[in-house]
Amino acid sequence: MSDGLGFSLAQLRYFVVSAEVGNISEAAERLCASQSTVSSAVMRLERQLGVQLLLRHHARGVTLTPSGRHLLREARDLLGRARNLKARGDALAGGAVGRLDVGFLASLAPFLLPGVHRLARQRYADLRLTFHEEPADRLAALLGEGRCELAVTYDFLAGDARFHALAEMPVHAVLAEDDPLGGSGPVELAALAARPLITPNTPDDIRHAEKLFADAGVPLPRVIGATSVETVRGLVAAGSGFALMHQRGRATTTLDGGRVRTVGIADDLPPASLGVAMMPGLAMSGRGVAFLDVLGSVVPAGPSGPAGPPHPALGRASP
């Protein structure tokens, strides 16, 4: 596919160096090219631009024409911009410098994002993180559109993305502090199902709850949807029902002063893997590697321990 320009940056460079030194032969030495290559490239550039740029003087080198003098400044500017673009690309690919857009599953962000932001500032002063808190379907769209390089999510929400697990997160129940259920240890889902289930009101969260109850052979109770994790905790503290979560917060007090507590689940339910997703075939930048370093230090280990450090394969494009 042609760009319609007809000339190259190499031709511009040959013209600029020739004009600066005033001699094709000397320009060729500086450019590590043959005299015929430089001379031919400049003549092709003149034909493609439709103007004569240099006057050739036998045994006296070259001088700029009026048109060449006008275009020399623009040629230098264009070459400077090209060098800046190359340097910018090298920085983006090779180091923890510049902006990195990261998606965060909305229900995970309150538990992890503050610690990630704090630790990133300490370890990578030149890394500028921009976070996008979204439900799972929007995270997939942000990855697919190239607006985010990475997304922090669970394995069961990663879809077709490449996923690297960082920690295994068992499911637990969140109850009001004064709820007598589970006071002596883990509680069965069947006992919880006598009251409403309070969950973030997204299709993915509801489908995940349905699967948990189906795996345990327990009918799904009545569902009360909420727009945020903190609203879920507030409703639980108020005695409106219970919640199931993989993430575990340290605070037991809700924003309105209520209190909650966490209780283990007696049913044999599989844990969820917490980690990062990225598009298949995308090579991870140096900024992405730095982010994984930070995230791996912040995620909770869980009973099974951390899933391990970021795998080197995440830094390469998939075959």
Side-chain angles (χ1 to χ4, degrees):
M1 178 178 175
S2 174
D3 57 13
L5 293 176
F7 61 86
S8 67
L9 291 174
Q11 287 173 285
L12 289 178
R13 184 164 177 252
Y14 288 173
F15 160 60
V16 168
V17 175
S18 297
E20 288 176 343
V21 301
N23 187 286
I24 296 290
S25 178
E26 186 177 341
E29 291 182 10
R30 291 195 181 187
L31 293 165
C32 298
S34 68
Q35 181 175 341
S36 61
T37 297
V38 175
S39 180
S40 297
V42 175
M43 286 190 289
R44 286 198 305 273
L45 178 62
E46 290 175 317
R47 288 196 300 270
Q48 288 154 350
L49 292 177
V51 294
Q52 185 176 353
L53 301 172
L54 298 176
L55 288 172
R56 280 81 173 170
H57 307 287
H58 181 66
R60 291 190 295 113
V62 297
T63 57
L64 285 163
T65 67
S67 295
R69 193 171 302 279
H70 284 300
L71 293 178
L72 178 60
R73 181 186 302 173
E74 294 187 39
R76 284 171 172 159
D77 181 65
L78 184 56
L79 289 171
R81 290 175 182 270
R83 285 191 290 269
N84 290 340
L85 180 63
K86 177 64 167 61
R88 178 66 173 161
D90 291 342
L92 290 175
V97 177
R99 171 172 168 167
L100 177 68
D101 286 81
V102 178
F104 253 94
L105 186 67
S107 59
L108 278 172
F111 298 90
L112 298 177
L113 200 157
V116 166
H117 201 270
R118 179 176 60 252
L119 191 57
R121 292 199 313 272
Q122 296 172 359
R123 291 186 182 177
Y124 302 100
D126 296 324
L127 181 63
R128 294 186 294 107
L129 295 176
T130 300
F131 299 110
H132 304 262
E133 298 178 56
E134 300 286 352
D137 58 341
R138 278 298 301 152
L139 286 186
L142 290 176
L143 288 175
E145 295 165 3
R147 294 180 59 190
C148 286
E149 182 175 322
L150 302 171
V152 181
T153 185
Y154 288 116
D155 56 343
F156 61 87
L157 298 174
D160 296 330
R162 248 158 83 213
F163 184 81
H164 176 70
L166 293 174
E168 295 297 311
M169 310 290 287
V171 64
H172 61 270
V174 182
L175 303 174
E177 186 181 54
D178 57 359
D179 193 319
L181 190 62
S184 59
V187 62
E188 294 184 350
L189 282 184
L192 291 169
R195 62 194 70 190
L197 169 66
I198 305 172
T199 184
N201 193 23
T202 71
D204 290 302
D205 284 294
I206 293 174
R207 279 194 295 268
H208 184 54
E210 291 172 346
K211 185 178 186 307
L212 288 175
F213 278 89
D215 289 345
V218 177
L220 183 72
R222 180 167 70 90
V223 173
I224 298 176
T227 58
S228 71
V229 171
E230 190 53 43
T231 304
V232 169
R233 296 175 74 249
L235 288 171
V236 169
S240 300
F242 72 100
L244 295 178
M245 293 186 180
H246 290 283
Q247 62 271 22
R248 185 187 295 265
R250 296 178 181 177
T252 60
T253 304
T254 62
L255 291 180
D256 66 342
R259 298 185 69 85
V260 296
R261 62 188 175 98
T262 59
V263 178
I265 301 294
D267 305 73
D268 186 17
L269 298 176
S273 292
L274 185 157
V276 292
M278 65 184 301
M279 291 305 295
L282 176 66
M284 183 175 291
S285 68
R287 301 179 313 287
V289 173
F291 175 78
L292 282 182
D293 168 57
V294 171
L295 182 64
S297 299
V298 172
V299 295
S304 301
H311 195 278
L314 280 176
R316 303 189 298 268
S318 293

